[in-house]
Amino acid sequence: MITIDARGTQKSIAEQIIAGNADYILSLKDNHPTLHQQVKNWFEIAPSLDFKDVDVSISQRVDKGHHRIENRTCYTVPVSQLPALYEQNQWAGLATVVMVVRKIQHWNKTTHEVQFYITSLDSDANKIGSAIRQHWGIENSVHWTLNRVYFESYSFWESG
């Protein structure tokens, strides 16, 4: 299973992953504006209708740490449950659309984030939500390490 940020959300990359007998979870942002807007619009309407007649998988998780409480809800829906998506057939193996809603309570404010994904995996909010969380755990730790190393290197050269 391969998770990739929006920059890597490309049809040719999805095709290579499927050809390699793997699955993908690709972040969907304004890099694909028509598809992103379709998925966003669908997820704005469906919850207000309680996902009536839709095969939706929902997973909710709460994490505490780093002086914050993070509530994450992951919704996964098979592509077959949606109207045809823009260039849907050009995404090799596309099976599911995903929405992750994060509510993060800091000591002095609360933030809300919504992120969309497309994936070749079957609709399983627990599995997909866990993979997305692991991706961001790795992403954050790598960025922290890089920032820390560069900061220390910069400080060393500035003081020398």
Side-chain angles (χ1 to χ4, degrees):
M1 180 187 323
I2 298 171
T3 59
I4 301 178
D5 290 336
R7 185 176 298 169
T9 301
Q10 303 299 326
K11 295 172 196 136
S12 60
I13 292 174
E15 189 174 329
Q16 290 174 19
I17 292 168
I18 294 299
N21 294 318
D23 284 299
Y24 61 80
I25 300 174
L26 305 175
S27 182
L28 185 59
K29 294 184 178 178
D30 286 332
N31 55 330
H32 293 282
T34 304
L35 180 59
H36 177 254
Q37 194 62 50
Q38 278 184 304
V39 172
K40 181 179 176 183
N41 289 346
W42 189 88
F43 272 113
E44 286 176 353
I45 295 168
S48 67
L49 303 173
D50 293 324
F51 293 100
K52 186 173 178 4
D53 300 323
V54 174
D55 182 21
V56 62
S57 176
I58 303 171
S59 172
Q60 204 162 19
R61 186 169 169 180
V62 177
D63 288 322
K64 297 177 182 179
H66 306 287
H67 307 288
R68 68 181 184 201
I69 300 170
E70 183 175 351
N71 291 285
R72 282 186 313 282
T73 306
C74 179
Y75 302 84
T76 64
V77 177
V79 170
S80 62
Q81 299 285 301
L82 281 73
L85 296 172
Y86 181 71
E87 298 181 340
Q88 178 176 330
N89 295 331
Q90 295 180 26
W91 291 97
L94 179 58
T96 302
V97 293
V98 181
M99 177 175 71
V100 176
V101 179
R102 295 180 192 93
K103 177 182 172 188
I104 305 167
Q105 296 172 326
H106 302 274
W107 67 275
N108 62 344
K109 67 178 178 178
T110 299
T111 60
H112 297 289
E113 301 171 6
V114 179
Q115 179 65 51
F116 301 97
Y117 300 85
I118 57 174
T119 179
S120 60
L121 294 166
D122 290 335
S123 180
D124 180 337
N126 286 321
K127 181 178 182 177
I128 293 170
S130 178
I132 291 168
R133 180 68 178 140
Q134 288 174 7
H135 171 89
W136 285 109
I138 292 166
E139 183 83 13
N140 289 337
S141 68
V142 169
H143 281 261
W144 182 87
T145 301
L146 288 173
N147 291 342
R148 185 76 179 151
V149 168
Y150 283 122
F151 176 75
E152 288 175 357
S153 297
Y154 179 76
S155 297
F156 170 79
W157 291 110
E158 285 294 304
S159 64

